[in-house]
Amino acid sequence: MAKKMSRKVQPVLIIHGGARASFPKAQMEGLFRDQMEAIVTEAYAILGSGGSAIEAAVKATELLEDHPIFNAGRGSKIQADGKIRLSAALMDGEKLRFSGVFNVQGLKNPIALAQRLNNESSRSLSDRGAASKAREWGLKFRSPYTKGRLEEYRLEKKGKTGTVGAVALDSKGRIAAATSTGGRGMEWPGRVSDTPTVAGNYANELVGLSATGIGEQIVDFALCAKVATRVEDGLSVKEAMQKSFREARKQKFHFGAIALGRDGSFSAMTTTPFMLWAVHTGKAVKISL
Ligand code: GLY
């Protein structure tokens, strides 16, 4: 591992709202743009006032979970048995510490539970165990169902929006990655998403990543952990992402990822036609729309 920086670092925050098979329809474009801009700006304010990468990544993910246009928290896709099960993960790059929540029902912000678990001896919890700890710790519960998702389910239609996530670099040079998802939609109950695994969410001292797309393929490719290892082995964030996505395209995988390095360099790539992402560099906001 490289030595920690002592100089003050310019914070950066990158977020995503999922990889997609197509661009959002013209009437949705403005809504997505406005929401992405509002969310990246609100969460960046934490970094701007000296807050930690973990606080900013969690805040951005909570905001994405709370907005029903994204497939995480409220507005998540419905599984084959009519239930919504939520998964989320947080990785503290400085401490090299991962925590995850698998298939919990009715929790307002699964990422808040992942954050709480990050300091515990049992750091990944599933289903009823996760819900029971969330209740014990006083986390909020709320129905994640929306009219749109119920209609999709009734028509057995595939929902368009994907997983959400955020990677933050704070003024002390620390990186955190957070990801949250309602899953693929219409999956068998008990199916485990890539999100609460190191394939779907990973960070170390040099880079943080959050993935979106078909979970099985993200796991097959070990996406986030692979890119992070390549950066550890000496590639730049951009080179590691380019190499990995070249290979992924050859395999005809359907997924995307955002990556943010300790030097503030960032990358957003997808093998799908479109991915919704936004970055705040402290000087400007850039959005993929
Ligand atoms: N990437 C989300 C999922 O496949 O569950």
Side-chain angles (χ1 to χ4, degrees):
M1 285 275 166
K3 275 195 185 150
K4 281 179 203 157
M5 290 201 284
S6 50
R7 269 189 311 122
K8 202 162 181 244
V9 174
Q10 173 65 53
V12 179
L13 175 66
I14 183 164
I15 66 173
H16 73 81
R20 300 164 55 113
S22 59
F23 278 77
K25 289 207 177 94
Q27 65 267 35
M28 289 294 282
E29 214 186 288
L31 179 62
F32 277 120
R33 190 183 299 109
D34 290 351
Q35 282 313 313
M36 293 300 277
E37 180 164 8
I39 290 170
V40 81
T41 303
E42 183 173 342
Y44 187 87
I46 293 174
L47 296 172
S49 56
S52 73
I54 289 182
E55 288 166 332
V58 168
K59 179 68 182 177
T61 307
E62 283 181 346
L63 294 169
L64 290 158
E65 287 175 337
D66 286 342
H67 204 289
I69 58 173
F70 302 107
N71 174 27
R74 184 162 162 249
S76 284
K77 292 179 187 175
I78 300 176
Q79 301 193 337
D81 63 348
K83 301 260 176 8
I84 290 179
R85 295 179 180 84
L86 307 167
S87 298
L90 176 69
M91 183 132 187
D92 178 337
E94 192 195 26
K95 294 191 176 137
L96 210 60
R97 201 190 274 173
F98 182 95
S99 52
V101 176
F102 296 68
N103 288 329
V104 69
Q105 292 185 53
L107 188 58
K108 177 177 173 286
N109 293 112
I111 194 62
L113 179 57
Q115 181 182 17
R116 184 68 172 71
L117 286 168
N118 204 267
N119 296 313
E120 300 294 332
S121 54
S122 298
R123 280 193 261 123
S124 284
L125 288 186
S126 71
D127 199 348
R128 276 179 283 180
S132 137
K133 270 290 162 204
R135 253 180 234 108
E136 185 186 318
W137 289 334
L139 300 185
K140 284 189 196 143
F141 281 75
R142 176 182 66 186
S143 167
Y145 291 85
T146 59
K147 250 169 78 178
R149 291 298 186 198
L150 287 165
E151 185 66 2
E152 262 172 29
Y153 180 71
R154 198 177 63 77
L155 300 172
E156 293 186 35
K157 262 178 43 186
K158 280 208 169 138
K160 287 213 175 65
T161 46
T163 300
V164 306
V167 186
L169 168 71
D170 67 26
S171 59
K172 294 189 175 143
R174 299 172 298 194
I175 297 171
T179 308
S180 184
T181 192
R184 218 179 43 196
M186 289 294 179
E187 63 266 68
W188 298 341
R191 180 239 182 201
V192 172
S193 160
D194 62 291
T195 294
T197 75
V198 295
N201 188 79
Y202 195 79
N204 58 26
E205 281 189 313
L206 301 176
V207 65
L209 295 114
S210 169
T212 163
I214 297 180
E216 283 72 4
Q217 298 179 355
I218 293 169
V219 170
D220 290 344
F221 194 65
L223 176 61
C224 294
K226 177 177 296 198
V227 176
T229 303
R230 285 180 163 157
V231 174
E232 271 182 4
D233 287 347
L235 294 193
S236 70
V237 169
K238 199 169 161 198
E239 287 164 348
M241 285 285 277
Q242 279 172 338
K243 184 170 167 60
S244 302
F245 275 84
R246 257 198 316 272
E247 293 168 358
R249 274 188 206 101
K250 274 196 201 140
Q251 299 282 340
K252 301 203 181 328
F253 284 150
H254 295 270
F255 54 59
I258 52 171
L260 174 61
R262 199 176 60 178
D263 59 359
S265 63
F266 62 87
S267 171
M269 287 191 187
T270 185
T271 63
T272 64
F274 179 71
M275 181 168 68
L276 192 60
W277 59 269
V279 66
H280 199 313
T281 61
K283 295 183 189 87
V285 174
K286 189 175 169 198
I287 302 175
S288 65
L289 277 165

